[in-house]
Amino acid sequence: MATFPVTDATFDAEVRNSDLPVVIDFWAEWCGPCRQIGPALEELSEQYEGRVKIAKVNVDENPQVTAAMGIRGIPALFVVKDGKIVANKVGAAPKAALQSWIDASI
């Protein structure tokens, strides 16, 4: 399963009500560090298939959920498990660091 887009309208259904833990990547097209971690998140979404979902929220197109989550800098990553935020991270990181962070959070 590849990463998938989440919007203001689908956030509750896709993230808060998910049976699986969800990693959310708040990003924007103009954000260089966001583009840097994009391929790593795609690869991780394949590795975690069936165990973790990786969602992407475009902050420019989804201001409500971006504001509700208190996003001030991007990339901003969150792990939501059972409808609750269990971890968050701001900034780019190598794939191995992202994988370790996810493993520690789920």
Side-chain angles (χ1 to χ4, degrees):
M1 170 188 248
T3 62
F4 64 98
V6 173
T7 65
D8 288 340
T10 64
F11 188 83
D12 284 345
E14 295 284 357
V15 176
R16 290 200 173 103
N17 299 329
S18 175
D19 293 337
L20 296 174
V22 182
V23 174
I24 314 159
D25 173 26
F26 286 86
W27 70 286
E29 194 66 42
W30 47 263
C31 170
C34 299
R35 289 195 313 270
Q36 283 180 322
I37 66 170
L41 291 174
E42 290 295 333
E43 290 175 23
L44 290 170
S45 71
E46 298 295 328
Q47 288 179 298
Y48 287 106
E49 186 170 355
R51 296 183 295 144
V52 176
K53 299 191 306 184
I54 300 182
K56 297 180 75 73
V57 176
N58 184 316
V59 297
D60 291 331
E61 296 172 0
N62 300 283
Q64 291 173 335
V65 71
T66 300
M69 295 290 284
I71 306 302
R72 294 186 185 167
I74 54 173
L77 300 161
F78 291 82
V79 176
V80 176
K81 190 174 179 181
D82 298 322
K84 296 181 176 57
I85 297 169
V86 296
N88 69 307
K89 177 180 193 56
V90 176
K95 179 183 170 187
L98 293 171
Q99 186 171 0
S100 294
W101 175 73
I102 293 168
D103 288 341
S105 302
I106 58 170

